Structures are given as C-alpha cells and as structure tokens.
Amino acid sequence: MVKLYGFPPSTCTRLVALVCKEKEIPYELTPINLGKGEQKDPSFTAIQPFGQVPYIDDDGFILYESRAIARYLIKKYPNQGTSLIPTDPKAEALFEQAASIETFNFNAFVAPIVFEKVFKPRRGLTPNDARVSELLASLESKMDAYELILSKQRYLAGDSVTLADLSHLPYGAAFYGAGFAEVFDKRPNLSRWWKDISSRPAWLAVKDGA
Amino acid sequence: MVLKLYGFTTSTCTLRVAVVLKEKNVPFEFVPVDVLKGAHKAPEFTTYQPFGQVPYIDDNGLILYESRAICRYIAAKYASQGTPLLPTDPTATAFFEQAASTETSNYDPFVSGLAWELKFVSWFGGKTDEARAKSLQSQLSAKLDAYNVILGKQKYLAGNDITLADLFHLPYGAVVLDIGLDEFSSRPNVARWWKDISSRASWEAVKGGI
C-alpha cells in the first residue's frame, strides 16, 4: 500500500491523491500537521530536506515532489486506470511540452495568486493586491495562449487527457473558487477544458481533501 | 534536415537547450530571434510558439517548445550518443524526476526572479523591486541549504550520475553569479557540484552566447 505523507487540503498532496484515484492505486494517508509546523521537524526533514509535503513511502521507496511522485506511480502501473503519460516518442514530447506549460505558464502565476488571496487571509495576513494585479495581468495573456491551443485540440498535449491537464486542478480549483472564475469562464475553449477536467470523478473524490 | 533552434543568443532558456545539444553531440542550426525588438511577439513567431517565448525547435517538421521539454526530447531521441542524461531503470528515473521537479519548484522561481529583478527588468524598461529581490535571495538561500544536504550524500542531484536535472540549473545559476549574488561558495557541497557542472565543455561552449 502506498503511504502518502501529506496535509489533506494541501494542493500538492491532493495532486498525488488524484493520480492514485485515476490509476486505481490504493493509498493510506498519514496527515502531517502544517499548522503545527510538523513538516519542519528534523524527523521530517531527514526524509524531505525542503520541509515540504507530500512524500510517499512505497514499500520502503521514498519519493518527494508531487509531480515526480505522480510520474513514478503512472509509470509503475501502466496497465490499470487512466493512461496519463503517452509512450509514443512524439506524443510524449508533446506531453512534456504541456507539463512544462503547466509549471511555467500557469502555476507560476496561479499559485502565488492563491497564496495571496486564499492562504494569507487564512493566516490573518493581508494580501498584496498590487502583486495580485500584476500576476493576473500576466496570467490573462497566458490564458489567451491556452484558449488558442485548446481551440485546436481537446487537451493540453493533444486529444487525450494527460497528467499535464490534471496538474492544473489543485491550484486551478482554488483560484477558480477564490473569485477568479471569470478568467476561465470567459474563454470558451478554456472553459470547456476546465469543466471537463474538473468534473472527473477522480478529482471530485479528492478535491475536498486527500 | 538539421535540427533548427529558434532562440535568442544569450537567453537562459535557449542556452538550456544548447548545452544539452552539445552534451549529446547533436548538430543544429541556430536561428536568431531578436527579442529586444519584440520578434518573439510577432505573428510569424507566435504561430509556432503561442506564448511568444524563446526557444522552440523545428526537428524535421516537429515543432516543440518549453526548453525542458525540448531537452528531454533530445536526451531521449539521442540516448545512445553523447553523455547519458536520462536514466532508464525505474528507480533511477523516479529520482531523476524528483530532481527535475526540485529544480522547477525549489530553484527556478528564485533564481529566475532574481535574474529578472536585478538584470533583465531594465532591458524592458522596468525598475528593480528591491523588496522582492531581497525576499527571493533569502528564500533561495534556504533552498540551497537543502541542496547542500542532498549533495553531501551524492555527487549529483538525482544520484551519482549527472542528468538533465543538473544541467537545467546552469543558465540562471550563471546569471545570478554574474550579478554578484553568490549563494553557492559558502555551501561546500553545492560549490563542488556547481564547479563540476559549470566547467563541462558543453557549457563552456555556449555560456557566452550561441
């Protein structure tokens, strides 16, 4: 059984849980209390040197970085659940392109916006609205590019869903729910894609907690 | 037809691809894109790269963008020539993905942010945000403490063999050092690793510009 060490509401923890659901991989969650700073304990950082959740223990094999864990699990179980990373070289290259787009042209803007507008208020801190405006302006132009890409194909890497699409869900859903839905909704192809991926049963199963 | 690399001669992301092409002994034709004149935002460019960013490649009609995706494609396609940069066995692959993800989330946001604030922002008519630069430097410092722990146990980021994950650190690492921010030297294992990767012939060949 895959042991997932994480914080149930954490975006990155839920990404791993999502992939486990898509691939029909049973997992057991051991909660790490971020509010109490458990992730900065020496016993935790001995395993995850950056003091971040999640990490997995798969029968003694320890791995961290949610996207790396996702890739590891997907490659380990190619014949069950949803196929999430193509094996054909050209399709794989386009998957890697899409995965990189998610990291640098989406997450780089959405994650700090979510940090300012969702996480900071929860900790009693004031959002930096000037920074949010800057980030949002950059994100809008990125979403124009997404709109163009998604007008030609169903998903970010082609016509089949991949890990690249799913990786958008945790931060994307937090962003969408924090009053920014219009950024997706006003773009027909982006909206279509977002509705598609965010209504997947695997996501619905974990979106409120891994 | 020889592979065409469309980029800007000293662009960090263009150099990231160039260093891997050199490591793999892959001949290529460099097609300069004048980003200072906005050529990357022109329709002739955005037809191929919808985000208006350098670089992209044209490998006999296959168009691919996102430098790390291009590097993965090259390393896989030319696995049997030049330096092996992608492991093949599942465990080593998982550790490679962990290292590659570490670079994107625990290194790149800080070094690229510093490179922007302290060097590139003025190229595009903007001003340094000193508070942001200070915050980024302090965050980078904490991350490199973790790198120092990891690199105290193994030669490279994914294990004892060099991989793409190590090379990905070169372009922004060099810019940050060039600005005068040295967070490497004070950390012995990081310093050793940086000296190793930055003195490779492939990097020497491209670091001054293609």
Side-chain angles (χ1 to χ4, degrees):
Chain A
M1 163 95 40
V2 170
K3 292 189 185 153
L4 173 59
Y5 292 81
F7 185 55
S10 130
T11 44
C12 302
T13 302
R14 283 180 294 142
L15 177 63
V16 174
L18 167 60
V19 169
C20 287
K21 292 289 184 192
E22 287 280 355
K23 299 300 292 174
E24 296 159 14
I25 300 167
Y27 68 93
E28 183 189 286
L29 178 78
T30 298
I32 303 294
N33 193 330
L34 302 187
K36 291 202 173 126
E38 264 185 61
Q39 77 281 21
K40 304 298 175 188
D41 266 357
S43 60
F44 188 94
T45 59
I47 298 165
Q48 213 287 7
F50 296 93
Q52 295 170 316
V53 291
Y55 74 85
I56 60 162
D57 177 345
D58 184 26
D59 268 328
F61 181 65
I62 308 281
L63 201 66
Y64 57 85
E65 290 294 310
S66 61
R67 291 177 187 79
I69 296 167
R71 286 166 174 261
Y72 163 74
L73 292 172
I74 290 164
K75 298 233 160 136
K76 189 176 179 188
Y77 297 100
N79 300 316
Q80 66 185 60
T82 318
S83 182
L84 290 173
I85 297 179
T87 45
D88 159 76
K90 183 179 169 183
E92 191 176 9
L94 294 173
F95 158 72
E96 292 294 355
Q97 178 179 277
S100 187
I101 288 169
E102 182 272 322
T103 303
F104 295 102
N105 286 318
F106 180 85
N107 193 264
F109 304 94
V110 172
I113 291 172
V114 167
F115 178 75
E116 293 294 334
K117 299 298 278 186
V118 179
F119 301 156
K120 264 177 143 174
R122 279 189 198 153
R123 296 171 203 175
L125 301 167
T126 316
N128 180 340
D129 282 320
R131 176 129 176 84
V132 171
S133 294
E134 248 179 47
L135 290 163
L136 206 51
S138 299
L139 181 67
E140 290 276 10
S141 76
K142 301 300 184 182
M143 295 299 94
D144 287 340
Y146 269 61
E147 179 65 12
L148 185 61
I149 294 166
L150 294 166
S151 70
K152 301 177 188 176
Q153 56 197 48
R154 208 167 153 204
Y155 297 101
L156 216 54
D159 288 319
S160 301
V161 77
T162 66
L163 175 64
D165 304 284
L166 301 186
S167 299
H168 291 75
L169 282 164
Y171 273 112
F175 172 80
Y176 192 86
F180 298 100
E182 201 230 358
V183 173
F184 296 173
D185 290 344
K186 69 187 179 189
R187 294 173 168 92
N189 296 297
L190 184 63
S191 175
R192 175 209 83 226
W193 167 82
W194 179 255
K195 281 194 175 73
D196 181 319
I197 62 171
S198 58
S199 58
R200 292 180 75 84
W203 173 242
L204 298 176
V206 306
K207 72 182 176 76
D208 297 320
Chain B
M1 201 193 79
V2 81
L3 185 150
K4 288 185 179 164
L5 172 62
Y6 291 78
F8 182 65
T9 171
T10 52
S11 130
T12 43
C13 300
T14 304
L15 293 186
R16 187 176 287 120
V17 174
V19 73
V20 170
L21 287 166
K22 291 287 185 192
E23 279 287 340
K24 301 302 287 173
N25 301 326
V26 176
F28 66 97
E29 182 193 320
F30 178 63
V31 183
V33 178
D34 195 344
V35 308
L36 297 176
K37 295 214 171 109
H40 54 318
K41 304 297 178 188
E44 312 86 81
F45 188 92
T46 59
T47 293
Y48 298 105
Q49 214 290 6
F51 296 91
Q53 294 169 314
V54 290
Y56 74 85
I57 61 163
D58 178 346
D59 186 22
N60 273 291
L62 171 66
I63 306 290
L64 203 60
Y65 55 87
E66 291 295 312
S67 64
R68 293 167 184 79
I70 297 170
C71 291
R72 285 171 174 260
Y73 167 75
I74 292 162
K77 183 175 179 183
Y78 297 100
S80 54
Q81 68 183 59
T83 315
L85 292 174
L86 280 174
T88 43
D89 88 86
T91 300
T93 297
F95 289 136
F96 160 71
E97 293 294 354
Q98 179 177 272
S101 185
T102 294
E103 187 268 328
T104 70
S105 60
N106 284 321
Y107 178 83
D108 186 88
F110 312 102
V111 290
S112 67
L114 283 165
W116 174 257
E117 292 299 341
L118 300 175
K119 182 171 180 177
F120 299 130
V121 67
S122 61
W123 292 13
F124 299 92
K127 261 184 58 179
T128 301
D129 179 338
E130 300 285 355
R132 183 167 177 247
K134 199 160 173 226
S135 168
L136 289 169
Q137 186 173 0
S138 123
Q139 291 176 81
L140 175 64
S141 186
K143 297 299 184 183
L144 291 176
D145 285 341
Y147 269 68
N148 201 49
V149 170
I150 296 166
L151 293 165
K153 300 176 188 174
Q154 55 197 48
K155 203 170 168 202
Y156 297 101
L157 213 56
N160 286 318
D161 295 319
I162 195 168
T163 64
L164 286 181
D166 303 285
L167 299 182
F168 286 171
H169 291 73
L170 284 165
Y172 277 116
V175 170
V176 170
L177 279 172
D178 187 60
I179 296 169
L181 277 179
D182 184 358
E183 293 286 345
F184 296 159
S185 305
S186 56
R187 296 170 171 93
N189 302 309
V190 176
R192 178 209 81 230
W193 164 81
W194 178 260
K195 189 167 175 213
D196 181 318
I197 64 172
S198 60
S199 58
R200 294 180 78 83
S202 58
W203 179 242
E204 296 282 352
V206 306
K207 66 180 185 178
I210 304 176

